[in-house]
Amino acid sequence: SEIERNELQNLKNNNNISNINDNNVKEYSWKQKFFAEFIGGIFLLFIGSGVGVYTQGDLVSIAITNGIILSCLVYIFGPISGGYFNTSIALSEFLRKKLTLNELIYYIIAQILGGFIGSLLVALCNRGKFNQLASTQIAQYLIKFNGKNNTKIDAWCYICALICEIVLSFFLIILFIFLTSSKHNKNNNVNGIIVGASLAMFIFTGFHISGGSMNLMRSLPPAVLEAIFGNNNTAIKQIWIYIVGPIAGSVLGTYIAPCFLQ
């Protein structure tokens, strides 16, 4: 009928418009992606680690706040830069050939610079105190079980913290790859919520072992600022854990995740 022919023509016109719009979508420049990851780094450290300072290490507040801020950042900046805000994820995307080497370098620089600004703001909002910036380090909870005293860090403390960072980073990368796989995930509207909830879960798990970092951007800035301006070298001496652990977990997750995907 005439009505059916008109409806069919309207559908064709709508499809053509949709295709034109898809083709005309402007790709974000590397400067825009850099700025997105940079701003995200500021927010993640200022809010995510700041809550640890202001609540004196309250686990529930830290885990929930970090989960919420990451969810918000993914929804806001995800369409621009991918919403990584994590050096481990950026490395994984490079290994998956989703990022070039230059892009990987831009992302890491942006994230860490943002992390430094965020940590600096935390200190300034805490009367200029740089000695405690909620840096991630081997937890006192773990140290107390070494059978000696409450301050001695033995080899098992380092081993446990390193294993924790590897395992948590591994699951983080597996989660990210599954969520960004269009064949596996049909409803990406809830990705931000899933990522935020997962981060909170990982922090609940790793807080009393390694602090639950999984991210060099989260660990390096406060450790460096504490060492330089706060005369506190504890975190910077342990920073290798938060370099080796997330990198190892990222590599393992990147190459194991495809085994579960079609």
Side-chain angles (χ1 to χ4, degrees):
S1 66
E2 185 66 24
I3 295 177
E4 291 175 341
R5 285 196 297 270
N6 290 336
E7 289 178 349
L8 181 60
Q9 186 61 41
N10 288 334
L11 287 173
K12 291 181 178 179
N13 291 337
N14 290 336
N15 287 334
N16 289 336
I17 292 174
S18 176
N19 291 335
I20 292 173
N21 289 336
D22 290 340
N23 292 332
N24 289 336
V25 172
K26 182 180 179 180
E27 176 69 20
Y28 287 101
S29 67
W30 71 265
K31 293 181 180 179
Q32 291 171 311
K33 295 178 181 179
F34 182 96
F35 190 68
E37 293 290 312
F38 172 72
I39 295 297
I42 294 177
F43 274 101
L44 196 61
L45 267 293
F46 178 64
I47 297 176
S49 68
V51 68
V53 174
Y54 309 137
T55 64
Q56 298 181 343
D58 180 69
L59 173 56
V60 175
S61 299
I62 292 172
I64 293 177
T65 301
N66 274 272
I68 292 174
I69 184 59
L70 182 60
S71 292
C72 293
L73 292 174
V74 168
Y75 282 118
I76 295 171
F77 295 113
I80 300 175
S81 66
Y84 301 158
F85 314 116
N86 188 311
T87 51
S88 302
I89 292 178
L91 174 62
S92 175
E93 290 296 274
F94 168 72
L95 295 175
R96 296 172 64 205
K97 303 187 185 305
K98 304 290 184 179
L99 293 178
T100 65
L101 180 59
N102 286 340
E103 288 174 330
L104 173 65
I105 295 173
Y106 291 145
Y107 271 63
I108 292 177
I109 292 175
Q111 292 168 357
I112 292 179
L113 281 179
F116 272 103
I117 299 299
S119 293
L120 178 62
L121 291 174
V122 170
L124 294 178
C125 290
N126 192 32
R127 302 177 67 87
K129 296 179 180 179
F130 283 89
N131 59 323
Q132 293 182 341
L133 292 176
S135 58
T136 50
Q137 51 189 280
I138 297 175
Q140 289 297 317
Y141 177 88
L142 183 63
I143 297 172
K144 291 179 181 179
F145 284 91
N146 64 14
K148 297 177 182 178
N149 55 58
N150 293 343
T151 59
K152 178 69 175 180
I153 302 178
D154 63 3
W156 271 110
C157 291
Y158 289 104
I159 292 172
C160 293
L162 181 61
I163 291 175
C164 180
E165 286 298 310
I166 293 174
V167 173
L168 292 180
S169 299
F170 170 80
F171 283 120
L172 178 68
I173 297 303
I174 293 286
L175 170 74
F176 181 84
I177 292 176
F178 271 50
L179 290 180
T180 56
S181 172
S182 58
K183 292 182 179 180
H184 182 83
N185 180 25
K186 303 298 183 181
N187 186 16
N188 56 15
N189 292 328
V190 298
N191 283 358
I193 297 174
I194 296 174
V195 169
S198 299
L199 179 64
M201 175 181 65
F202 294 150
I203 293 176
F204 273 119
T205 302
F207 184 79
H208 288 304
I209 302 175
S210 65
S213 172
M214 304 160 280
N215 189 354
L216 181 60
M217 179 189 75
R218 169 63 183 86
S219 297
L220 183 63
V224 171
L225 292 178
E226 285 181 354
I228 295 176
F229 301 108
N231 195 29
N232 182 355
N233 296 321
T234 303
I236 199 66
K237 289 179 180 179
Q238 301 175 11
I239 195 63
W240 66 270
I241 296 173
Y242 306 98
I243 297 175
V244 176
I247 289 178
S250 177
V251 173
L252 288 173
T254 300
Y255 290 110
I256 291 179
C259 298
F260 303 98
L261 298 173
Q262 294 182 350

